[in-house]
Structures are given as structure tokens and as C-alpha cells.
């Protein structure tokens, strides 16, 4: 469940589980190392004081005291190094274990989400979440917490030391540092500062997306002679981003200038206060020594202050990143049953199924499927056709439970698909989509999909899918790496790889969603001939726009605007003179249409 606590650090530790004992030990070591980093400032002051006192009093320097303080200096540095290394190792080990567990928890959770999660434009957000957001949490766990504790200890120790020696000088330095911190914090504090920061981040994100779109669509823009229009939109976003940066810099530049001026001028403030005190108490050697100590030790306060400022900067974006992680973890997996995959050939039944991608409160809500009933007997070849947006692909995706239907039921083998386990349902249905993803693996692995199958079985599926010959033409045959960094496939080749996967899977139901979209007429005929034997006895559901490819279907279901308009065989539907007949006529005209001399002829 979403952590509603506003403290971003607590949310990090509630989301990523650390081993408390090891982590507390690591943070303690790191904090103590920061505390020890202030010791040399004090020991140097003590050594200088020994020499000055001897000079003022005309006595010999006590070398033993000098060596003691020198030894303390070296010892504190050595101890600080050991503690820093130990603390860093322990904190990083805890962070890596915690974030490894978090990544695995997110992956396991996403594995139980409905497949629609991956088709809703989530890939970029998921990639950012798994990389940038989680890495930012690593910075908090491994560095920031220990640094803040250490900075707090050091500031507390210095405060105790300084206020015990001279209250006016201590008030001067801490008042200056507090003022610097408040000035720095004011850059992003308040509603106005947060709005400026939010607007800048939003415009930067829009600009990044626009640049990507501009580069990706340049080919089409140039072909159609419209690069200026795309450039104008991009220019507008660049100017918008520039204006946000100007607003941001107008606010933070004087603030940063004042912050740096105050921190750099801490010694000057001390000198002013010291001179006033010496004027009031002339000849006070003790006061002079105290002023010297403040001038030497004072700069040690700047480093922990910087840690606090940087920590505040990290927290600005951390809450947003945590919201993104919580947003995924809050998604509820669809409940699943325990039924095992059915054996043998099975039928499909859509019973009064309704579904919409928009929620009920959306005024633009449109039903993707509206009370659809379809009976597809076991071993039959059924087809879904109709105008674009009619609900064809939605019906196929609901069969695989990409989403759950709002009402009605879908049965496979006489059982509601919600009664099957996800694994059983995936074993029952094989999909071939129009857009095929090719993994950065060998051709063999891309077909086998990590199933324990032999080379002969993979080759048999490849031959049936008509991809065996072009795979053999690759440099290393079936061992050739495909995808990113490997051999590039054409759209038709990638689709035939996907068909080989489905054939090898040997599921009782095969859904082909525009599976022939990238094949020419010759390859399509060869592909159908090769698939005919292996698809024999299976229940085949083909989603198609090309009506020529489904003439032999046992039943054709015609969908329009989410409703089932008519169903029957190819011949029966043509006789009805309905929507299917109209689509058939249009496609015939399209097939006969030619370009000649700038005119169309039929």
C-alpha cells in the first residue's frame, strides 16, 4: 500500500528493507568518521597555541605536548579512514541488498500484473523507475543518511566546544551559518519556489520527449515537406523551457550569491566580533587564543552545512520518485484461479462480454466490446474482422486476460478463464501479434523462448513458419545474435520468427493478430501451407483486415464499434449483403486499383 508519510527518508526505508543491525553499525561508523574529521582542526589549534604561549611567555616549547597533539591528529585521521571505509562498506552492502530485494519485488509484482500494464505506454516509466529512481534511493541509503548523522554530530560537537569557550564568537559563527542555510533553503521553499521547480522539471520532460519525437519522425517530415512545422513546435517548447530556466535563475542566482558570500565571509564575521571583544578587553591573551581557535576551527562548520544543503536538494525530487515506485507497487494483480491447463483441443466461448478502456466516470467513455457473444468450437478456424476500432484486437487480448472484462464471461474448454492460473492460461493460448519483439539473443533462443527443446524441434517449427532458409543464410545460422547489437530482421522475417514460436509452443489455441501483415503474397501462401499441418486440430482465432486471408474460416465474426454485427461463413455473409459484404467489395476495389498517369483506374 502507498506510504502516505510525507517524510521522504522514512518512505525510502519502508519501501527498501535494510538489515537494521548492520545498517545502524555502518551509519555509526560513517558518522563517527565525519566527527573525527573535525579533530585535526582542534589539534592544529592546540599545537599553534603551545608555540604562541611559549613565545608570549618567553618559555621553552613543551615538545612532549606537541608530539601528543600531533599523535592525536594522526590517530584521528587514521581512525577516521578506517571508520569511513568500514561504514561505507556496510552502508553500501545494505543498500545493494535492499535495492536488489526491491528490484526483485517490483519485478515479481509486475509479473503478476495483467498484461495490459505493458501495453499502456508504461515501458519508459518502468525503465526510469527501475534505473533512475531506485539508484536515487541507493544514494540516500548508502550516503546521505550517514553523512547527515555525521554532520549533525560534528556540528553538535563544535557547538559544545565553541559555546564553552566563547559565547559571543560562537553565536556569531552559528548565526552566520544558520542565515546561510535559511537563505539557501528559501530557493526552493514555499509554494512559489516549489511551483518554479515543478514547472522547470515539467518543461524539461516535455522538451526531452519532443526532441525524441522530432528525431524519430524526421524521415516522414522531410518526405512530406513539413520539417518546419515540427521545428516550430520544438522551438516553442525550447522557448518555454528557456523562460522557465530564466524564472528559476532569477530566483536562485541572488540566493546562491548571498549563500556563498555568507559562508565564505564567516571568518570576516568572526574577525569583526573578535575585534570588538578585544577592543572591550585589550591585552586579554586568553581572548586572543579563543579568537585564533575560532578562526582555525570555524571552517570545519562549513562542510557539514554543505551536507545538509545537498541533502535538502536530494529530497526535493525524492518524493516524486517514491510516488512513481509506489504507483506500481499499489497496482493490484488480477485474481487468478488454480485450474490446470486443459488437455486436447478446446473451444472458446464469449458470453455477453463488455469492456471499455475508460472508467465509468469518463465522459468520453466508449465501449471496446459491447455485449459480445461468440461461440468458437474446439478445432475450428474462426476469424474476427471489421473496421478499425471495432474491438477485434481487444477480444483477443481479453482472451489472454490482458485486462478483465467488465461483465460477461470468456470460457476456454468449458471453464471461465478466471478460474485458470496465469501459467495454465498462457500454456493454453499462443499469440502472434502484428508487432513482434525480437530479443537480443540467438535465433535459436528467439524461437525456443528458453523452453527445453531440441534443435530439431526448433528447426521443424522454423521450417513450418518459412524462416528456416533465411536463418541458415545468417553468418552463424541459428546461433546468430538477433535484435539490438545483432543481425537486423525485416518486418516479415520478425513475424515469421513469432509464428515459429507459436508453432513450437504447441498450445491448443492459437490467436493470430494480423500475423500476415508483413508478408507478400508468395510468402503468405507458403506460410499458410507450412502452418496447415501443425495447426490441424487446434482452435485458431485470426484477427485480420485482409479478408482474402480468412475466406476458408469456419466462422467469421464481424465487429463494429464493439458490437457483433453478423457472423457466418464467407459465402453466407456475402449473401446477406451486410457489413462484411460491403467490406469485401471495398477491398476488391482496393486490390484492383492502380496508379497510372496520376489518375486512378479500376
Amino acid at each position: 500500500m502507498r506510504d502516505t508519510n510525507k517524510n521522504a527518508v522514512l518512505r525510502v526505508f519502508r519501501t527498501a528493507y535494510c538489515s537494521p543491525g548492520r545498517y545502524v553499525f555502518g551509519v555509526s561508523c560513517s558518522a563517527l568518521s565525519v566527527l573525527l574529521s573535525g579533530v585535526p582542526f582542534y589539534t592544529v589549534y592546540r599545537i599553534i597555541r603551545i608555540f604562541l604561549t611559549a613565545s608570549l611567555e618567553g618559555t621553552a616549547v613543551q615538545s612532549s605536548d606537541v608530539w601528543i597533539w600531533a599523535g592525536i591528529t594522526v590517530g584521528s585521521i587514521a581512525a577516521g579512514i578506517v571508520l569511513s571505509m568500514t561504514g561505507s562498506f556496510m552502508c553500501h552492502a545494505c543498500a545493494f541488498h535492499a535495492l536488489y530485494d526491491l528490484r526483485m519485488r517490483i519485478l515479481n509484482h509486475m509479473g503478476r500484473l495483467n498484461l495490459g500494464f505493458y501495453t499502456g505506454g508504461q515501458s519508459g516509466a518502468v525503465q526510469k523507475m527501475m534505473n533512475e529512481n531506485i539508484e536515487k534511493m541507493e544514494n540516500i541509503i548508502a550516503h546521505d543518511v550517514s553523512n547527515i548523522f555525521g554532520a549533525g554530530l560534528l556540528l553538535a560537537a563544535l557547538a559544545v566546544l565553541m559555546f564553552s569557550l566563547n559565547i559571543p564568537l560562537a553565536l556569531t559563527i552559528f548565526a552566520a551559518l544558520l542565515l546561510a542555510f535559511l537563505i539557501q533553503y528559501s530557493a526552493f521553499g514555499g509554494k512559489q519556489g516549489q511551483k518554479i521547480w515543478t514547472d522547470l522539471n515539467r518543461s524539461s520532460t516535455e522538451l526531452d520527449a519532443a526532441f525524441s519525437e522530432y528525431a524519430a519522425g524526421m524521415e516522414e517530415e522531410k518526405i512530406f515537406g513539413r520539417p518546419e512545422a515540427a521545428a516550430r513546435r520544438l522551438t516553442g517548447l525550447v522557448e518555454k523551457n528557456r523562460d522557465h530556466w530564466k524564472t528559476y535563475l532569477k530566483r536562485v542566482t541572488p540566493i546562491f550569491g548571498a549563500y556563498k558570500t555568507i559562508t565564505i565571509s564567516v571568518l570576516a564575521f568572526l574577525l569583526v566580533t573578535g575585534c570588538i571583544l578585544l577592543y572591550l578587553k585589550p591585552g586579554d591573551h586568553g581572548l586572543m587564543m579563543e579568537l585564533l581557535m575560532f578562526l582555525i576551527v570555524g571552517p570545519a562548520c562549513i562542510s557539514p552545512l554543505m551536507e545538509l544543503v545537498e541533502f535538502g536538494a536530494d529530497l526535493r525530487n525524492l518524493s516524486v520518485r517514491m510516488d512513481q515506485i509506489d504507483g506500481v507497487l499499489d497496482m493490484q494483480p488480477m485474481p487468478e484461479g488454480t485450474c490446470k491447463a486443459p488437455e486436447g483441443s478446446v473451444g472458446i466461448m464469449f458470453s455477453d462480454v463488455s469492456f471499455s478502456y475508460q472508467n465509468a466516470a469518463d465522459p468520453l467513455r466508449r465501449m471496446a466490446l459491447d455485449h459480445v457473444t461468440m461461440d468458437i468450437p474446439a478445432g475450428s478456424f474462426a476469424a474476427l474482422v471489421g473496421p478499425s476500432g471495432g474491438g477485434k484486437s481487444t477480444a483477443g487480448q481479453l482472451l489472454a486476460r490482458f485486462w478483465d472484462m467488465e461483465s460477461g464471461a470468456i470460457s476456454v474448454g468449458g471453464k471461465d478463464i478466471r478460474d485458470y492460473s496465469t501459467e495454465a492460461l498462457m500454456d493454453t493460448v499462443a499469440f502472434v501479434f502484428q508487432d513482434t519483439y525480437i530479443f537480443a539473443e540467438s535465433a535459436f533462443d528467439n524461437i525456443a523462448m528458453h523452453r527445453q527443446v531440441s534443435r530439431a524441434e526448433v528447426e521443424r517449427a522454423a521450417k513450418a513458419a518459412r524462416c528456416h532458409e533465411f536463418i541458415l543464410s545468417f553468418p552463424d545460422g541459428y546461433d546468430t545474435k538477433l535484435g539490438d547489437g545483432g543481425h537486423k530482421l525485416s518486418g516479415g522475417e520478425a513475424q515469421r520468427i513469432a509464428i515459429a514460436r507459436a508453432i513450437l509452443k504447441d498450445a491448443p489455441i492459437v490467436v493470430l493478430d494480423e500475423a500476415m501483415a508483413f508478408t507478400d503474397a508468395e510468402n503468405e501462401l507458403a506460410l499458410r501451407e507450412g502452418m496447415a499441418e501443425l495447426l490441424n486440430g487446434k482452435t485458431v482465432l485470426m484477427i485480420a483486415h485482409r479478408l482474402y486471408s480468412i475466406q476458408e474460416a469456419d466462422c467469421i465474426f464481424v465487429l463494429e464499434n464493439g458490437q457483433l454485427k453478423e457472423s457466418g461463413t464467407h459465402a453466407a455473409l456475402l449473401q446477406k449483403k451486410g457489413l462484411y459484404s460491403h467490406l469485401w467489395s471495398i477491398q476488391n476495389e482496393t486490390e484492383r486499383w492502380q496508379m497510372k498517369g496520376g489518375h486512378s483506374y479500376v
Side-chain angles (χ1 to χ4, degrees):
M1 295 295 294
R2 182 180 294 273
D3 189 346
T4 57
N5 194 306
K6 294 183 178 181
N7 190 300
V9 178
L10 291 179
R11 292 179 65 187
V12 169
F13 286 97
R14 289 176 180 174
T15 303
Y17 307 134
C18 292
S19 173
R22 294 176 61 191
Y23 187 68
V24 169
F25 177 72
V27 169
S28 300
C29 289
S30 295
L32 288 174
S33 72
V34 175
L35 179 62
L36 288 175
S37 67
V39 172
F41 288 92
Y42 181 71
T43 56
V44 167
Y45 156 71
R46 298 295 304 192
I47 292 173
I48 294 175
R49 178 170 179 164
I50 291 173
F51 282 98
L52 287 177
T53 301
S55 176
L56 290 173
E57 295 178 355
T59 58
V61 174
Q62 296 293 324
S63 59
S64 59
D65 292 341
V66 173
W67 285 110
I68 289 174
W69 287 111
I72 293 174
T73 303
V74 174
S76 65
I77 294 174
I81 292 173
V82 172
L83 288 171
S84 177
M85 292 176 60
T86 303
S88 178
F89 176 81
M90 297 296 291
C91 289
H92 278 87
C94 289
F96 293 149
H97 281 296
L99 299 183
Y100 168 80
D101 290 340
L102 176 60
R103 280 192 171 99
M104 295 307 297
R105 187 150 51 93
I106 293 174
L107 287 175
N108 290 333
H109 180 74
M110 290 195 302
R112 295 185 291 114
L113 295 176
N114 63 75
L115 295 180
F117 170 75
Y118 300 96
T119 62
Q122 297 279 353
S123 58
V126 171
Q127 182 178 356
K128 180 180 180 181
M129 177 189 66
M130 295 295 286
N131 292 325
E132 294 182 24
N133 294 8
I134 291 181
E135 287 303 317
K136 197 65 178 179
M137 293 173 66
E138 185 271 335
N139 194 52
I140 294 290
I141 297 173
H143 302 280
D144 287 349
V145 171
S146 58
N147 289 345
I148 287 302
F149 272 106
L153 281 176
L154 181 56
L155 283 176
L158 291 174
V160 170
L161 173 64
M162 292 179 177
F163 277 99
S164 65
L165 291 177
N166 191 297
I167 293 178
L169 291 176
L171 286 174
T172 298
I173 191 169
F174 279 97
L177 292 177
L178 178 61
L179 178 61
F181 178 78
L182 292 176
I183 289 175
Q184 170 71 0
Y185 180 79
S186 69
F188 304 101
K191 292 182 179 180
Q192 182 65 22
Q194 289 295 328
K195 183 179 183 302
I196 292 173
W197 180 252
T198 300
D199 290 343
L200 177 60
N201 277 310
R202 185 181 296 115
S203 67
S204 297
T205 301
E206 291 176 354
L207 185 59
D208 289 342
F211 267 120
S212 298
E213 182 181 353
Y214 181 73
M218 182 52 66
E219 181 178 351
E220 284 76 11
E221 294 289 350
K222 284 186 174 292
I223 288 174
F224 290 98
R226 298 286 295 171
E228 296 83 3
R232 280 196 297 271
R233 177 178 179 273
L234 187 59
T235 300
L237 290 174
V238 170
E239 292 175 349
K240 178 181 176 182
N241 185 252
R242 178 199 61 188
D243 292 339
H244 283 303
W245 270 109
K246 288 171 64 177
T247 303
Y248 166 80
L249 291 174
K250 284 180 181 178
R251 180 180 178 86
V252 302
T253 299
I255 292 175
F256 285 163
Y259 166 75
K260 289 184 178 180
T261 300
I262 291 175
T263 53
I264 293 174
S265 304
V266 166
L267 298 183
F269 296 146
L270 284 172
L271 281 174
V272 171
T273 303
C275 290
I276 294 174
L277 293 176
L278 288 174
Y279 176 78
L280 297 175
K281 295 181 179 181
D284 190 335
H285 291 172
L287 178 59
M288 294 178 61
M289 292 297 178
E290 291 169 0
L291 177 59
L292 176 64
M293 191 278 291
F294 273 84
L295 292 175
I296 294 175
V297 178
C301 299
I302 298 176
S303 178
L305 178 68
M306 292 298 296
E307 292 287 350
L308 293 173
V309 170
E310 291 177 7
F311 184 64
D314 287 340
L315 291 182
R316 283 198 297 270
N317 288 327
L318 185 60
S319 292
V320 176
R321 297 176 188 272
M322 293 301 301
D323 286 342
Q324 293 170 344
I325 293 174
D326 289 341
V328 173
L329 292 176
D330 284 349
M331 292 182 179
Q332 294 299 317
M334 289 191 301
E336 58 180 84
T338 58
C339 292
K340 296 182 179 179
E343 297 182 0
S345 183
V346 293
I348 306 169
M349 182 67 187
F350 282 69
S351 302
D352 199 31
V353 173
S354 294
F355 173 76
S356 176
Y357 293 99
Q358 293 89 28
N359 59 50
D362 192 335
L364 301 177
R365 175 179 166 88
R366 186 178 70 86
M367 298 305 295
L369 289 181
D370 191 4
H371 299 286
V372 171
T373 297
M374 299 183 293
D375 186 8
I376 305 171
S380 64
F381 170 24
L384 294 179
V385 301
S388 296
K392 303 182 297 297
S393 294
T394 300
Q397 292 168 353
L398 288 178
L399 176 61
R401 292 196 76 190
F402 278 37
W403 295 271
D404 258 346
M405 64 221 81
E406 294 181 9
S407 63
I410 300 176
S411 301
V412 168
K415 293 182 180 179
D416 194 309
I417 59 174
R418 290 168 289 197
D419 293 334
Y420 291 105
S421 66
T422 300
E423 183 180 1
L425 187 60
M426 292 300 100
D427 287 341
T428 305
V429 184
F431 273 84
V432 180
F433 296 104
Q434 178 177 347
D435 297 320
T436 300
Y437 188 81
I438 300 298
F439 295 90
E441 297 177 340
S442 69
F444 177 90
D445 290 330
N446 264 283
I447 295 175
M449 294 296 289
H450 301 289
R451 288 190 292 271
Q452 298 300 318
V453 292
S454 65
R455 178 63 65 97
E457 291 175 296
V458 169
E459 291 186 3
R460 177 171 173 264
K463 289 176 182 177
R466 295 302 188 266
C467 55
H468 177 70
E469 292 184 1
F470 72 71
I471 290 176
L472 290 182
S473 69
F474 295 161
D476 298 315
Y478 279 85
D479 295 322
T480 302
K481 181 183 177 182
L482 307 180
D484 292 340
H487 188 86
K488 301 298 181 183
L489 299 179
S490 67
E493 289 172 338
Q495 228 166 19
R496 279 179 273 177
I497 291 288
I499 292 172
R501 292 172 181 168
I503 292 173
L504 184 64
K505 186 177 181 180
D506 197 27
I509 297 175
V510 178
V511 179
L512 305 172
D513 190 351
E514 290 294 334
M516 308 296 179
F518 292 116
T519 56
D520 54 35
E522 181 180 356
N523 283 329
E524 182 175 339
L525 177 61
L527 193 57
R528 291 186 183 283
E529 292 174 349
M531 292 175 62
E533 180 180 351
L534 290 176
L535 294 178
N536 185 36
K538 300 185 185 302
T539 304
V540 180
L541 178 60
M542 178 178 286
I543 301 166
H545 282 101
R546 296 165 63 177
L547 302 185
Y548 287 105
S549 63
I550 48 91
Q551 294 181 71
E552 304 301 322
D554 297 312
C555 187
I556 301 171
F557 298 94
V558 185
L559 296 173
E560 183 182 32
N561 296 326
Q563 297 180 335
L564 180 62
K565 294 299 183 180
E566 51 190 6
S567 62
T569 63
H570 172 72
L573 290 173
L574 288 180
Q575 290 180 354
K576 288 184 177 181
K577 302 296 183 179
L579 177 59
Y580 181 82
S581 177
H582 175 67
L583 294 173
W584 178 262
S585 299
I586 293 176
Q587 196 157 107
N588 279 334
E589 292 178 8
T590 304
E591 292 291 334
R592 294 196 304 270
W593 185 82
Q594 298 179 6
M595 286 294 296
K596 186 177 181 181
H599 300 283
S600 62
Y601 294 88
V602 178

